[in-house]
Amino acid sequence: QNGVMSGLMQMLLLKVSAHITEQLGMAPGGEFREAFKEASKVPFCKFHLGDRPIPVTFKRAIAALSFWQKVKLAWGLCFLSDPISKDDVEKCKQKDLLEQMMAEMIGEFPDLHRTIVSERDTYLTYMLKQAAKQIELPQASETETRKYIPAVVVGVVGMGHVPGIEKNWNSDLNIQEIMSVPPPSASSKIFKFVIKATVFGLMGYGCYRIGQRTVQFILSMPAAQSYLQKLTEIRSQ
């Protein structure tokens, strides 16, 4: 539904998620599930998913990478086997270590950091600001002065997004540009064609081999041999 490259990226990230779950005994994203449970306990609380849609983020991230960067990223995700402990997770909560990890990501994949982190910082800030707007109270009459009350908002975001949200909070934000999906590059089109050709080629070859073996099996059966022998005799007569 979302394209070959996006589909492959989602499969690789699911593999990473499974690896983390296996190592820690718990699935990533538990903090968001807990936030949902707590919000459901608050009367009249509205729960809103405020992150940018995953297909948009994936497509923009893939379009931002060169062909070799895509290969490098896919290779790293395919062979991810580093052990992860709960102590490692706790260490990641330290601001200095988190900033160091972010810096390493910027150095290795700057375009990926821009689409996955920086652009989502902007989007999350925009959505939080929209939610935090004052609420207008209903007027008893047209002559009554409009009254507003502040909205009470609790935003649950990943730690890596907090500095970006603080930085963008007092800025005028426009999310139209970061919601658009750029057209695929020539390398993406070639890669997509190669993958499709490989898949259909393997499927075609598999069908051919299965069909060939099936025909050989049928012809080796005594009933089929007897029928063919009779058919040969009839044709010769």
Side-chain angles (χ1 to χ4, degrees), residues 12-22 26-28 80:
L12 290 173
L13 291 175
L14 283 173
K15 179 182 179 297
V16 174
S17 177
H19 172 70
I20 295 171
T21 304
E22 182 182 7
M26 56 183 179
L80 180 70

Side-chain angles (χ1 to χ4, degrees), residues 2 61-62 68 77 93 129 146 159 169 178 186 189 203 208 219 228:
N2 297 323
I62 291 167
W68 293 114
L77 293 176
K93 295 179 183 179
K129 290 181 74 171
R146 291 183 177 180
M159 285 185 66
W169 189 257
I178 61 174
K189 291 179 180 178
M203 288 176 61
Y208 166 74
L219 293 177
L228 289 173

Side-chain angles (χ1 to χ4, degrees), residues 2-121:
N2 297 323
V4 175
M5 291 300 299
S6 293
L8 289 173
M9 280 293 293
Q10 288 194 41
M11 287 175 64
L12 290 173
L13 291 175
L14 283 173
K15 179 182 179 297
V16 174
S17 177
H19 172 70
I20 295 171
T21 304
E22 182 182 7
Q23 293 284 320
L24 298 179
M26 56 183 179
E31 64 273 31
F32 300 111
R33 288 188 286 273
E34 287 301 318
F36 175 76
K37 290 178 184 178
E38 292 301 317
S40 64
K41 300 175 184 177
V42 180
F44 309 109
C45 177
K46 293 182 180 179
F47 186 85
H48 181 70
L49 299 174
D51 203 349
R52 186 170 62 177
I54 290 177
V56 176
T57 299
F58 274 174
K59 287 180 179 179
R60 285 187 64 84
I62 291 167
L65 295 175
S66 66
F67 175 77
W68 293 114
Q69 284 179 321
K70 292 173 188 174
V71 172
K72 184 179 179 181
L73 179 64
W75 182 268
L77 293 176
C78 278
F79 296 97
L80 180 70
S81 58
D82 296 336
I84 305 170
S85 67
K86 292 184 178 180
D87 290 336
D88 295 330
V89 177
E90 291 301 318
K91 289 178 183 177
C92 289
K93 295 179 183 179
Q94 299 174 13
K95 185 178 179 182
D96 294 340
L97 181 60
L98 189 66
E99 289 178 352
Q100 180 184 341
M101 293 169 64
M102 286 292 188
E104 289 176 0
M105 184 180 179
I106 294 172
E108 194 166 4
F109 296 103
D111 295 322
L112 194 65
H113 180 274
R114 173 176 54 81
T115 52
I116 290 183
V117 180
S118 300
E119 289 183 0
R120 286 173 59 225
D121 289 346

Side-chain angles (χ1 to χ4, degrees), residues 191-209:
F191 187 64
K192 183 177 179 181
F193 174 78
V194 169
I195 288 177
K196 282 188 174 181
T198 303
V199 170
F200 285 118
L202 290 172
M203 288 176 61
Y205 179 73
C207 291
Y208 166 74
R209 292 290 295 175

